[in-house]
């Protein structure tokens, strides 16, 4: 089961298409709690269930 066609189209758009969403994403990644979570999940090999 793949992504719906509309999601595939959105995935191919450049980030500049959504400047507010891109700014939010960058602000979230700058937060220490988010950085720590990414680090911990990377070390553990965290994956979402299928």
């Amino acid at each position: 089961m793949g992504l719906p066609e509309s999601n595939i189209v959105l995935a191919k758009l450049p980030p500049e298409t959504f400047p507010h969403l891109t700014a939010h994403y960058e602000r979230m990644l700058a937060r220490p709690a988010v950085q720590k979570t990414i680090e911990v999940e990377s070390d553990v090999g965290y994956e979402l269930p299928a």
Side-chain angles (χ1 to χ4, degrees):
M1 176 183 234
L3 291 173
E5 188 173 323
S6 60
N7 287 354
I8 293 170
V9 171
L10 287 176
K12 293 181 181 180
L13 294 174
E16 299 79 29
T17 305
F18 304 101
H20 296 290
L21 181 59
T22 301
H24 171 72
Y25 175 78
E26 290 170 355
R27 285 191 309 271
M28 293 304 294
L29 287 183
R31 296 181 64 200
V34 174
Q35 292 175 5
K36 183 175 180 179
T37 300
I38 291 170
E39 180 183 339
V40 168
E41 290 179 354
S42 295
D43 291 345
V44 173
Y46 179 82
E47 293 181 23
L48 293 173

